[in-house]
Amino acid sequence: MFRKTTVILLIIIIGIIYSCGSKPAAAEPEEIIEEAAEEAAQEVIVVPEPTRAELVMRALLEAYPEQIEEVEFRNDDWAVLLKGKWYYYANGRILQENKAEDFENFRSYQFYGYPAELPPWRERTPEETARFGTMAASRRQITVRRSNDFLDDLWQASTRAEAERNIVTVTFLGRSVKINKLIQKRVIAVERDIRAAARADSGVQTWINSIDTLEGYVWRNVADTQSRSYHAYGIALDILSRRTMGNLQTYWLWTSQYRDDWWNVSYRERYHPPDAVIKAFEANGFIWGGKWLLFDTMHFEYRPELLILSGMTLNAP
């Protein structure tokens, strides 16, 4: 019995020694790191593309850093913090939380791709022609308006009295004009760039000398709509130079009053300020209405977020 037990123990001991001897050597730390790096390199990391809502709200933060405090994804939507209030993208309506669920009751803001150059001219389709033909009349029947809350807070203009407390009179290209004090530095920069262009191009100086209408702040709505005009915030300028206009067209709504096919007014039939003037405005955060389908070639308004969304470079403030 003793011998049998001893033999069994010897067999077990030999098995343990054999298994220990055949065990592979532990990997060096460098080998482990290399293997982990190879595995990581083989993994596909998918970074989701930012949504339109995120792009718009981040562009607003970049465009108005002195007014907007932060941007954040909250309550399943992108939002910006302005004057202690969260404004949500809300399908392009830019609404406070208590109105966001009712976004369909408001018109959206126009966060579109602003073109760097004048869009190529093209013939309109029959469907477009039919729609454009009724546009002047149909816009008068639209009762849904854009919510003013966001712009009221952004530009400190919830009422006419509040707006006018923030309006200053400045000299622009030799003429007086009323604007919101928050864009005063930008307007000064536009004039500086236009003056510089005039020193190199006599045509720009001729245009400056011929200006006879310059309008900034006016408390009113957009013509034939329920939405407040950007002029009411003091962030838009209308500049007319009648001596260089001749019979050229400047505003689609005026043209539509005597020409049914206003959309067919070619670029050469429209009044355009010198290209250097347009570029000076754009470089400082203004868009030009001459690039709109509903053309308004005398009109410039401060919308730096659109230029940012389109990847255009702005001058430093």
Side-chain angles (χ1 to χ4, degrees):
M1 182 69 181
F2 174 77
R3 288 182 178 179
K4 186 175 180 180
T5 302
T6 303
V7 171
I8 293 172
L9 288 172
L10 287 171
I11 292 172
I12 293 172
I13 292 169
I14 292 169
I16 293 172
I17 294 171
Y18 179 80
S19 63
C20 290
S22 63
K23 185 177 181 180
E28 294 295 326
E30 292 80 2
E31 295 175 354
I32 295 174
I33 294 172
E34 290 177 2
E35 290 177 3
E38 290 178 1
E39 292 177 1
Q42 293 173 0
E43 293 181 1
V44 178
I45 301 175
V46 178
V47 179
E49 291 290 329
T51 63
R52 185 63 177 172
E54 179 181 358
L55 290 172
V56 167
M57 302 312 261
R58 291 195 183 281
L60 287 173
L61 176 63
E62 183 179 347
Y64 308 105
E66 295 182 0
Q67 294 119 295
I68 295 177
E69 300 167 50
E70 58 181 296
V71 60
E72 182 180 299
F73 187 76
R74 48 188 285 124
N75 299 327
D76 296 323
D77 199 2
W78 283 92
V80 292
L81 184 62
L82 171 64
K83 296 183 71 174
K85 305 171 189 175
W86 285 103
Y87 280 93
Y88 292 81
Y89 181 69
N91 288 275
R93 272 64 170 186
I94 317 299
L95 301 169
Q96 293 183 56
E97 187 172 3
N98 63 338
K99 294 181 179 180
E101 292 185 359
D102 299 323
F103 68 88
E104 293 180 346
N105 294 325
F106 300 93
R107 298 193 71 180
S108 62
Y109 283 77
Q110 298 298 310
F111 295 113
Y112 57 90
Y114 181 79
E117 303 297 336
L118 198 62
W121 182 263
R122 67 177 179 84
E123 295 295 325
R124 299 298 175 176
T125 66
E127 293 77 15
E128 288 175 320
T129 297
R131 180 162 56 90
F132 298 160
T134 62
M135 191 169 289
S138 62
R139 69 191 254 131
R140 300 187 187 100
Q141 301 170 5
I142 297 174
T143 57
V144 177
R145 64 176 178 82
R146 181 184 64 217
S147 171
N148 293 327
D149 295 347
F150 176 71
L151 291 179
D152 287 353
D153 277 344
L154 187 68
W155 298 113
Q156 302 173 21
S158 59
T159 65
R160 181 171 186 170
E162 184 184 19
E164 293 184 352
R165 284 197 296 270
N166 292 289
I167 296 299
V168 295
T169 300
V170 299
T171 300
F172 182 74
L173 300 177
R175 294 157 182 81
S176 294
V177 64
K178 295 180 178 180
I179 60 170
N180 192 303
K181 65 183 180 182
L182 295 174
I183 67 165
Q184 186 171 355
K185 291 181 180 178
R186 284 299 194 179
V187 172
I188 291 172
V190 171
E191 180 179 33
R192 177 201 63 210
D193 293 348
I194 292 175
R195 295 286 189 188
R199 288 192 289 271
D201 183 348
S202 61
V204 175
Q205 187 60 56
T206 298
W207 176 83
I208 293 173
N209 296 340
S210 66
I211 294 173
D212 54 14
T213 300
L214 176 59
E215 183 179 86
Y217 166 77
V218 180
W219 185 261
R220 64 175 174 81
N221 285 345
V222 177
D224 293 336
T225 76
Q226 301 297 312
S227 297
R228 192 172 297 165
S229 169
Y230 281 85
H231 282 283
Y233 296 104
I235 59 170
L237 293 173
D238 284 346
I239 307 174
L240 279 177
S241 176
R242 298 188 187 281
R243 279 174 285 174
T244 58
M245 282 177 56
N247 294 320
L248 299 176
Q249 305 302 306
T250 186
Y251 183 35
W252 78 277
L253 194 58
W254 295 346
T255 303
S256 71
Q257 294 173 3
Y258 63 89
R259 179 167 171 172
D260 293 337
D261 65 336
W262 56 266
W263 59 91
N264 278 330
V265 175
S266 65
Y267 289 148
R268 66 177 178 274
E269 297 175 272
R270 302 179 189 180
Y271 162 72
H272 289 182
D275 188 62
V277 171
I278 297 168
K279 295 299 184 186
F281 272 100
E282 291 175 339
N284 290 286
F286 290 80
I287 60 171
W288 175 52
K291 293 181 179 178
W292 298 340
L293 167 65
L294 305 181
F295 62 88
D296 189 353
T297 64
M298 63 182 167
H299 184 82
F300 297 91
E301 67 184 38
Y302 190 65
R303 296 289 305 280
E305 69 275 15
L306 298 187
L307 300 167
I308 291 168
L309 285 168
S310 299
M312 298 173 66
T313 302
L314 303 183
N315 291 342

